[in-house]
Amino acid sequence: EVRLRAQPLREGKLVIPPITVRAGSETASTRPVSIKAMKPVETDDFKLKIDLTKSSCYVGEPVTVTVTWYMAADVQTAAFSLPLMKDTDLFYIEDSKINTNSGKKYYRVPLGGDEVVAEAGQGALNGQVFTTLTFQKVLIPKKPGEYAIDPVTVSFQALVGFRRQQSPFGDDLFSKFFNNDNFGFGKQGVYKQRVVPSNSLKLIIRDLPENDRPADFSGLVGEYRIEAKAEPTSVNVGDPITLTVNISSPQYLDPVELPPLSGQSDFAKDFKIPPERATGEISGNKKVFTQTIRPMRADITQIPPVWLSYFDTRSQS
């Protein structure tokens, strides 16, 4: 037995075509299955919203999309569909960092053919308090243009009422007793399938200016700071020196790489640099790189600055 999951792309009467299986010289096919796909609708008890940290950005500038599901009734077996996850030719799509030690409640929920970690909480919408489930994705645009973000949908089983549950005993006296719900046998939840859509959004992606772009441009876009320290600072020619470089930013740090020291002339003429670059570790709002360098002459008295070129979104330069 194989279970396949299909998602209708439009409303109306649709047909799931036959599926053919071959085993050696023999074939077998399923019968076509007719379905009726209904348009997702928002209800008073269930609403879905998406937001962007900004509506306009540059190529390479991280933008976070937040999906919040508002619930005023019990649900079961929820699954999300996020159409922009398929647009890998336009975006690098990454998971947002989550602090699992925050004391908040998190759940793994299906998203397309994968999973996403969502945070449980509470939120108010139009004066009503809801239970919420929220998750985020980080978008890093690859090319300029105006992009329409289609609605997200969530499919789930919603509690719509209760029905009397038959007593496990056939005796009328016991049946009446249990129907008083003293032991929880009286009611059983009734659930129905629901699909709720979110709002849609637009994102304007601008290209980076060509003017004054340095040859060693890292491709990073945003706000960054860089600092370095080294030890020991009293060594012989050829001795290893541990150079620690910290690159910090309030934004997404996964794409950040250590600038190639061999490409910076002051380093290349005075120090032996291994061909492998450090991968770096993220700690809070900074990424830490540890690189070994070795002085090639006895007259070297300093380690030069490490340069990081990036596009600053505040100064537009």
Side-chain angles (χ1 to χ4, degrees):
E1 180 179 316
V2 178
R3 293 188 177 185
L4 303 176
R5 188 172 187 173
Q7 182 180 9
L9 299 179
R10 58 183 176 84
E11 61 181 304
K13 293 183 178 180
L14 306 175
V15 176
I16 299 176
I19 298 174
T20 300
V21 177
R22 292 180 176 84
S25 59
E26 297 184 0
T27 61
S29 298
T30 64
R31 294 180 179 179
V33 179
S34 297
I35 65 170
K36 182 180 180 181
M38 301 179 67
K39 184 179 181 180
V41 291
E42 186 180 86
T43 69
D44 291 340
D45 288 338
F46 300 100
K47 302 178 187 297
L48 190 62
K49 303 295 181 186
I50 57 173
D51 294 291
L52 296 171
T53 49
K54 55 192 72 177
S55 59
S56 177
C57 67
Y58 286 97
V59 172
E61 181 180 5
V63 177
T64 300
V65 56
T66 301
V67 179
T68 305
W69 184 21
Y70 296 85
M71 298 166 281
D74 288 345
V75 300
Q76 291 181 338
T77 61
F80 289 88
S81 175
L82 189 60
L84 67 81
M85 293 288 290
K86 300 176 183 178
D87 294 321
T88 54
D89 60 332
L90 185 60
F91 297 106
Y92 296 104
I93 302 174
E94 304 287 349
D95 291 324
S96 181
K97 299 302 179 185
I98 295 175
N99 180 14
T100 55
N101 296 321
S102 64
K104 299 177 180 178
K105 289 184 178 180
Y106 295 94
Y107 297 92
R108 292 188 178 275
V109 295
L111 175 62
D114 204 350
E115 285 185 331
V116 67
V117 177
E119 176 187 320
Q122 281 193 333
L125 192 64
N126 300 328
Q128 183 179 355
V129 177
F130 292 85
T131 298
T132 59
L133 204 59
T134 304
F135 66 88
Q136 295 181 324
K137 286 288 182 177
V138 178
L139 312 178
I140 304 176
K142 297 181 181 180
K143 53 189 178 183
E146 184 172 313
Y147 180 70
I149 297 179
D150 292 331
V152 181
T153 58
V154 58
S155 173
F156 57 97
Q157 295 279 336
L159 180 67
V160 295
F162 295 92
R163 64 167 173 256
R164 285 290 178 182
Q165 186 176 13
Q166 186 176 358
S167 166
F169 304 93
D171 188 285
D172 289 340
L173 174 63
F174 279 106
S175 296
K176 293 178 182 178
F177 179 72
F178 283 117
N179 279 338
N180 290 327
D181 293 340
N182 293 330
F183 291 87
F185 291 121
K187 292 182 178 180
Q188 182 181 31
V190 177
Y191 290 83
K192 287 190 177 181
Q193 188 71 22
R194 294 284 187 266
V195 180
V196 171
S198 75
N199 53 308
S200 58
L201 296 171
K202 284 187 178 180
L203 178 63
I204 298 173
I205 306 166
R206 294 173 286 175
D207 204 359
L208 297 173
E210 292 288 345
N211 295 339
D212 301 323
R213 184 184 297 194
D216 63 346
F217 174 54
S218 64
L220 296 177
V221 179
E223 301 172 47
Y224 294 89
R225 294 178 61 87
I226 185 169
E227 59 183 5
K229 60 181 180 180
E231 58 181 22
T233 54
S234 179
V235 295
N236 297 315
V237 173
D239 284 350
I241 298 173
T242 299
L243 179 68
T244 302
V245 179
N246 296 332
I247 299 177
S248 57
S249 172
Q251 303 181 85
Y252 195 63
L253 288 167
D254 270 15
V256 175
E257 296 182 351
L258 177 68
L261 302 181
S262 57
Q264 302 189 14
S265 58
D266 289 342
F267 271 98
K269 68 184 180 63
D270 292 337
F271 294 90
K272 183 177 181 181
I273 304 166
E276 302 84 10
R277 276 193 289 171
T279 55
E281 293 184 2
I282 296 175
S283 176
N285 67 338
K286 65 182 179 180
K287 195 167 185 178
V288 182
F289 301 88
T290 304
Q291 184 77 64
T292 299
I293 58 175
R294 298 173 186 267
M296 295 190 293
R297 300 186 315 279
D299 62 345
I300 297 172
T301 59
Q302 68 175 9
I303 296 171
V306 180
W307 293 92
L308 174 70
S309 63
Y310 65 96
F311 181 77
D312 190 327
T313 51
R314 281 192 175 181
S315 64
Q316 306 279 299
S317 62

